[in-house]
């Protein structure tokens, strides 16, 4: 298991990310969960972190559990009005058999896996734990996300009484994007992500056995373009339970919602 980069950040994470809108993931996730065609689909949230997505979907009655590498992040996932069932685990070696209908891995968690071989293992693991017809929904960030928002910048934020200092570094040759984050006067945490080409991600999915049915700009569900910051990927472990036409209808509904 690799090191826990979120060890010192876990207790501050929800405050740091308070402005992130998880509703979009819940809306899209709800449509895709229906697409599994199963009653009460068994859902696994890979890299669930502090459980914000899990808490929102548990509130809606989903049959969900989560895993994350960071015990520090998971501490928040198991408390609150909708405490989640979670386990500390690495997405490249999931502690489950084939038992899920819907697997998610959101907020660019896959970019935190910094070797392509490990990404490919994570895809194989997602495939292995899904039942036939199961759906895998995840997102990745693009190089443009890094160059527009993080590369070679230092900035400060205030969240109530908490002060956060951020330093972003970008190494285009390796695709490595580092963020150093310091809360108040505490230690710096190093959060490292890697930007993968879309071809590498698609290849890993296909080699794992998935059929890729969705490759979309996460902001509007149009085809990804130069300005795309985040990509939504939707893949099925064959055979797909619902006709592809149903996914096309979902695409239209999600586009309408996102583009409002
Ligand atoms: C940006 S956070 C996103 C957390 C959560 N998905 C959310 O939306 O708030 C990335 C998460 O990926 C987890 N992570 C990184 N590498 C992992 C791995 N190999 N296996 C499982 N979790 C991992 C980190 O511990 C962290 O909680």
């Amino acid at each position: 298991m690799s090191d826990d980069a979120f060890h010192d950040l876990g207790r501050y994470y929800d405050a740091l990310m308070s402005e992130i809108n998880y509703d979009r993931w819940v809306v899209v996730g709800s449509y895709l969960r229906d697409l599994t065609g199963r009653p009460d689909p068994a859902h696994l949230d890979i890299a669930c972190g502090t459980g914000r997505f899990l808490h929102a979907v548990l509130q809606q009655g989903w049959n969900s559990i989560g895993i994350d590498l960071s015990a520090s992040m998971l501490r928040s996932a198991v408390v609150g009005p909708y405490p989640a069932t979670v386990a500390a685990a690495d997405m490249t070696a999931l502690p489950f058999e084939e038992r899920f209908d819907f697997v998610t891995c959101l907020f660019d968690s896959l970019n935190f896996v910094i070797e392509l071989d490990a990404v490919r293992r994570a895809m194989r693991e997602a495939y292995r734990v899904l039942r036939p017809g199961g759906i895998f929904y995840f997102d990745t960030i693009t190089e443009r996300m890094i160059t527009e928002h993080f590369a070679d910048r230092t900035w400060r934020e205030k969240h109530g009484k908490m002060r956060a200092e951020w330093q972003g570094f970008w190494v285009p040759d390796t695709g490595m994007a580092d963020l150093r984050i310091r809360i108040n006067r505490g230690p710096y945490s190093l959060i490292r992500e890697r930007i993968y080409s879309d071809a590498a991600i698609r290849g890993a999915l296909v080699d794992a056995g998935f059929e890729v049915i969705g490759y979309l700009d996460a902001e509007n569900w149009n085809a990804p373009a130069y300005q795309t910051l985040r990509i939504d990927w939707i893949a099925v472990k064959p055979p797909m339970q619902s006709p592809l036409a149903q996914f096309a209808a979902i695409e239209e509904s999600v586009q309408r919602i996102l583009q409002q």
Side-chain angles (χ1 to χ4, degrees), residues 183-222:
I183 307 296
N184 301 327
R185 294 183 176 278
Y188 281 96
S189 295
L190 176 66
I191 301 294
R192 171 165 286 171
E193 293 192 74
R194 190 164 203 171
I195 304 303
Y196 293 103
S197 71
D198 295 350
I201 297 290
R202 185 181 289 273
L205 280 169
V206 170
D207 290 350
F210 282 110
E211 188 181 329
V212 181
I213 61 166
Y215 163 68
L216 299 152
D217 184 318
E219 268 181 39
N220 48 32
W221 265 38
N222 291 333

Side-chain angles (χ1 to χ4, degrees), residues 162-248:
M162 188 179 100
R163 284 165 196 279
E165 181 190 326
W166 301 71
Q167 300 172 352
F169 305 92
W170 167 234
V171 185
D173 289 353
T174 58
M176 226 62 102
D178 285 352
L179 264 182
R180 273 160 51 91
I181 309 174
R182 184 185 198 195
I183 307 296
N184 301 327
R185 294 183 176 278
Y188 281 96
S189 295
L190 176 66
I191 301 294
R192 171 165 286 171
E193 293 192 74
R194 190 164 203 171
I195 304 303
Y196 293 103
S197 71
D198 295 350
I201 297 290
R202 185 181 289 273
L205 280 169
V206 170
D207 290 350
F210 282 110
E211 188 181 329
V212 181
I213 61 166
Y215 163 68
L216 299 152
D217 184 318
E219 268 181 39
N220 48 32
W221 265 38
N222 291 333
Y226 172 69
Q227 68 275 12
T228 298
L229 302 176
R230 182 179 298 280
I231 293 174
D232 273 353
W233 296 87
I234 298 111
V236 180
K237 175 169 178 171
M240 187 157 162
Q241 303 296 298
S242 313
L244 254 186
Q246 196 176 329
F247 182 65

Side-chain angles (χ1 to χ4, degrees), residues 86-159:
V86 296
D90 191 321
M91 68 171 94
T92 65
L94 294 174
F96 304 110
E97 300 303 314
E98 180 188 285
R99 54 171 274 206
F100 296 100
D101 304 300
F102 188 39
V103 170
T104 50
C105 183
L106 303 172
F107 206 177
D108 46 281
S109 296
L110 212 87
N111 293 99
F112 288 80
V113 177
I114 56 165
E115 295 296 335
L116 183 58
D117 273 356
V119 169
R120 293 171 62 82
R121 262 201 314 280
M123 302 290 193
R124 289 199 295 272
E125 284 296 87
Y127 184 91
R128 184 181 62 74
V129 301
L130 276 167
R131 287 202 278 246
I135 290 178
F136 183 28
Y137 165 40
F138 65 96
D139 57 18
T140 53
I141 51 171
T142 62
E143 179 169 336
R144 189 160 169 99
M145 170 72 99
I146 300 300
T147 53
E148 284 254 305
H149 293 285
F150 297 100
D152 308 320
R153 283 184 59 203
T154 297
W155 69 101
R156 291 188 172 76
E157 292 173 358
K158 240 183 131 199
H159 302 271

Side-chain angles (χ1 to χ4, degrees), residues 6 13 22 47-49 68-70 73 89-91 106-107 109 112:
F6 288 82
Y13 185 83
Y22 281 71
C48 65
D68 197 281
L69 198 56
S70 169
M73 295 285 270
D90 191 321
M91 68 171 94
L106 303 172
F107 206 177
S109 296
F112 288 80

